[in-house]
C-alpha cells in the first residue's frame, strides 16, 4: 500500500479496487461500500491523525462507551456527478451544522468544519469512479462519530472516532407506502434527544415499526408523546400534508429533526408560489380532511428517498385511502429538487457545492 500526504490527511490507497464486482444497476441501498473510508480520532482533547485508508473492519475495546451508553451520531448526505464529470454536494454546510448540533446534545466533541470538509472532499476525489452519472445515480455519504473511550463507568467518553463511509445508490423507490398512526409509542419527547441524529433514536423506532409491518403497514407516523394527537414524523422522515392546495408540516422542535430535505422543499414551495404552513397537524384534522376531500396528499421527505408519497393511513383500526391525483405537488417538488441536485437545471438557491 502506498502512503501520501494531502492537506495533512494521510492517504493509504487500497492495492486493488472492488468496483468491478459491483452491479450498479441492482444496488440494495446502503449495502455496498467504496474502496476507502476517512477516519480521525479525538484523544487528549484534540482531533488527530486524519487518515483515508482502505475500507475494512476495525477492532475496539469491548468496554468502549458506545456499546454501553450509546454515544453515537451520524448524518446522511449524497454526492452527484454531472455530465461534465464534476462532483457536487447538496447543502453540505447544513449537514455539518446538524452533525455538530447532535454532538453537543450527546456530550461529544464537535468536528471542525474544515476537517470534516477536507476529509470528505479528499475521500470523494479518491473514490470518484464510484459516483456514476445519470439521474437517479448517487453516492450516499455516511459521516458518523462513536465513543471509543474504554470503561463502563456511566460518564461521557474522553475518546471518539469520526468516520466517513461511502455507498453507491440508485434512485430509492419504496413502492406504495401505507402508514399506521401511532397511538401509544413515541419517537421522542420534550427535553429529549429527538432533534439529534443519534443512533438510539432509530433503534427505538424499530420495535413499533415491526409491529406495524406485521399489520401490513410500511411505516409509522409518529405522534407527540404527551397527547398523541399531533402528527410529527413519518418513519425516519419529516412529513408533509397537502390540505387543498396548501402544504402543511410540523415545525421543528426538540422532538423533530431539522431535515435538510424538509427545509429545501419548504423554500422551493415558496418560490413556486405554493402556500405552506409550519404548524401542528392534528390526527382529527387528517381524518376530517380525508372525509371531506380536503386532504389531497401525504408524503415523507428525507435524504434517501427525497420524497416518498403515502398511499393511505390507519388510525384506531380504521384505514383511510388517499385519492389518486394527477397534479401531485409531492412529485413535482421531487422532480425539481432531484434535477437541481444532478445539475440538470439551474440552482437559484446556491445549494449545490462543487468538489
Amino acid at each position: 500500500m502506498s502512503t501520501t500526504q494531502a492537506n495533512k490527511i494521510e492517504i493509504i490507497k487500497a492495492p486493488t479496487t472492488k468496483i468491478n464486482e459491483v452491479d450498479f444497476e441492482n444496488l440494495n441501498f446502503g449495502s455496498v461500500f467504496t474502496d476507502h473510508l476517512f477516519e480521525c480520532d479525538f484523544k487528549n482533547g484534540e482531533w488527530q491523525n486524519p487518515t483515508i485508508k482502505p475500507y475494512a473492519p476495525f477492532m475496539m475495546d469491548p468496554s468502549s462507551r458506545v456499546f454501553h451508553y450509546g454515544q453515537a451520531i451520524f448524518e446522511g448526505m449524497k454526492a452527484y456527478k454531472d455530465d461534465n464529470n464534476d462532483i457536487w454536494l447538496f447543502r453540505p454546510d447544513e449537514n455539518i451544522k446538524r452533525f455538530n448540533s447532535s454532538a453537543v446534545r450527546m456530550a461529544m466533541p464537535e468536528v471542525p468544519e474544515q476537517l470534516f470538509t477536507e476529509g470528505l472532499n479528499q475521500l470523494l476525489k479518491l473514490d470518484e469512479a464510484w459516483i456514476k452519472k445519470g439521474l437517479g445515480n448517487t453516492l450516499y455519504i455516511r459521516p458518523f462519530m462513536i465513543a471509543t473511550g474504554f470503561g463502563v463507568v456511566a460518564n461521557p467518553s474522553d475518546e471518539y472516532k469520526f468516520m466517513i463511509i461511502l455507498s453507491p445508490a440508485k434512485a430509492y423507490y419504496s413502492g406504495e407506502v401505507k402508514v399506521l398512526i401511532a397511538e401509544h409509542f413515541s419517537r421522542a419527547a420534550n427535553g429529549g434527544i429527538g432533534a439529534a441524529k443519534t443512533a438510539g433514536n432509530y433503534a427505538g423506532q424499530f420495535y413499533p415499526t415491526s409491529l406495524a409491518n406485521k399489520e401490513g403497514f410500511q411505516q409509522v407516523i409518529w405522534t407527540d408523546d404527551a397527547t398523541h394527537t399531533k402528527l410529527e414524523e413519518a418513519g425516519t422522515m419529516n412529513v408533509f400534508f397537502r390540505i387543498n392546495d396548501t402544504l402543511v408540516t410540523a415545525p421543528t422542535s426538540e422532538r423533530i429533526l431539522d431535515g435538510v430535505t424538509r427545509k429545501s422543499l419548504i423554500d422551493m414551495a415558496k418560490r413556486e408560489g405554493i402556500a405552506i404552513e409550519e404548524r401542528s397537524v392534528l390526527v382529527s384534522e387528517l381524518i376530517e380532511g380525508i372525509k371531506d376531500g380536503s386532504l389531497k396528499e401525504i408524503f415523507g421527505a428525507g435524504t434517501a428517498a427525497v420524497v416518498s408519497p403515502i398511499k393511505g393511513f390507519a388510525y384506531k383500526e380504521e384505514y383511510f385511502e388517499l385519492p389518486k391525483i394527477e397534479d401531485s405537488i409531492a412529485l413535482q417538488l421531487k422532480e425539481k429538487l432531484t434535477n437541481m441536485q444532478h445539475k440538470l437545471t439551474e440552482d437559484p438557491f446556491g445549494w449545490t457545492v462543487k468538489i
Side-chain angles (χ1 to χ4, degrees):
M1 297 184 183
S2 61
T3 301
T4 61
Q5 289 289 130
N7 294 330
K8 298 182 180 179
I9 296 174
E10 182 183 15
I11 298 180
I12 307 171
K13 293 184 178 180
T16 59
T17 179
K18 55 193 176 189
I19 195 170
N20 297 323
E21 303 169 11
V22 177
D23 181 359
F24 282 88
E25 295 304 314
N26 296 284
L27 292 167
N28 292 322
F29 183 81
S31 61
V32 175
F33 297 93
T34 65
D35 293 320
H36 301 89
L37 57 79
F38 173 80
E39 73 170 15
C40 189
D41 292 312
F42 184 85
K43 295 182 178 180
N44 301 318
E46 62 180 13
W47 289 104
Q48 52 191 273
N49 303 324
T51 306
I52 291 174
K53 64 183 187 180
Y55 184 100
F58 60 95
M59 295 182 65
M60 290 180 62
D61 192 291
S63 72
S64 295
R65 302 288 173 87
V66 65
F67 300 138
H68 302 273
Y69 302 112
Q71 280 185 291
I73 61 171
F74 66 95
E75 270 299 321
M77 311 165 64
K78 285 181 178 177
Y80 311 82
K81 183 176 284 184
D82 66 16
D83 290 338
N84 297 318
N85 287 316
D86 290 324
I87 302 169
W88 297 84
L89 296 173
F90 183 73
R91 307 190 77 174
D93 56 324
E94 292 291 340
N95 291 102
I96 296 170
K97 181 171 70 175
R98 189 173 64 182
F99 187 86
N100 281 328
S101 177
S102 297
V104 170
R105 182 60 183 86
M106 298 302 291
M108 304 169 80
E110 296 181 63
V111 176
E113 183 174 353
Q114 183 177 3
L115 174 65
F116 194 123
T117 300
E118 280 298 314
L120 175 57
N121 290 359
Q122 293 292 339
L123 180 61
L124 289 173
K125 289 176 181 177
L126 188 58
D127 280 348
E128 73 165 302
W130 291 78
I131 314 173
K132 300 301 181 181
K133 292 188 292 187
L135 187 63
N137 293 320
T138 63
L139 188 68
Y140 183 76
I141 302 165
R142 172 52 62 91
F144 64 100
M145 190 203 311
I146 56 175
T148 53
F150 63 90
V152 295
V153 61
N155 288 327
S157 177
D158 57 357
E159 294 185 1
Y160 297 88
K161 186 180 290 289
F162 170 58
M163 303 184 75
I164 304 175
I165 55 177
L166 309 174
S167 177
K170 296 288 288 182
Y172 187 96
Y173 296 109
S174 51
E176 293 188 333
V177 176
K178 297 189 295 182
V179 298
L180 182 66
I181 295 178
E183 299 176 52
H184 172 70
F185 294 104
S186 297
R187 176 188 172 275
N190 285 330
I193 55 174
K197 204 164 177 67
T198 182
N201 281 345
Y202 296 79
Q205 296 183 38
F206 293 158
Y207 175 66
T209 302
S210 70
L211 297 179
N213 294 161
K214 291 177 182 178
E215 296 183 37
F217 300 95
Q218 286 72 47
Q219 288 292 351
V220 173
I221 288 188
W222 306 103
T223 50
D224 68 293
D225 64 300
T227 68
H228 292 290
T229 61
K230 299 175 182 178
L231 300 158
E232 301 203 322
E233 291 195 0
T236 60
M237 309 175 79
N238 295 115
V239 63
F240 287 79
F241 307 91
R242 177 185 173 186
I243 300 173
N244 290 315
D245 288 324
T246 299
L247 285 183
V248 186
T249 189
T252 55
S253 68
E254 291 179 306
R255 302 188 308 273
I256 297 176
L257 193 71
D258 187 11
V260 177
T261 303
R262 172 192 178 277
K263 64 177 64 179
S264 301
L265 293 178
I266 289 172
D267 288 345
M268 290 177 63
K270 290 177 179 177
R271 181 180 173 85
E272 295 293 320
I274 299 169
I276 188 151
E277 298 176 1
E278 294 182 69
R279 63 169 176 83
S280 295
V281 181
L282 300 178
V283 178
S284 59
E285 184 180 0
L286 212 62
I287 294 172
E288 289 171 10
I290 200 87
K291 290 180 177 179
D292 66 19
S294 60
L295 179 65
K296 306 296 186 183
E297 295 182 81
I298 306 174
F299 58 93
T303 299
V306 184
V307 166
S308 180
I310 291 171
K311 177 184 180 182
F313 65 92
Y315 181 68
K316 291 189 180 297
E317 299 183 353
E318 187 173 4
Y319 178 70
F320 303 92
E321 187 100 357
L322 271 75
K324 293 185 182 296
I325 57 173
E326 294 184 0
D327 62 335
S328 169
I329 290 177
L331 296 182
Q332 291 174 31
L333 290 176
K334 180 176 184 176
E335 181 179 15
K336 289 179 182 297
L337 182 55
T338 53
N339 282 342
M340 186 192 307
Q341 291 169 330
H342 285 272
K343 304 302 290 183
L344 297 176
T345 57
E346 66 172 318
D347 172 13
F349 302 95
W351 288 338
T352 51
V353 178
K354 187 176 178 180
I355 298 299

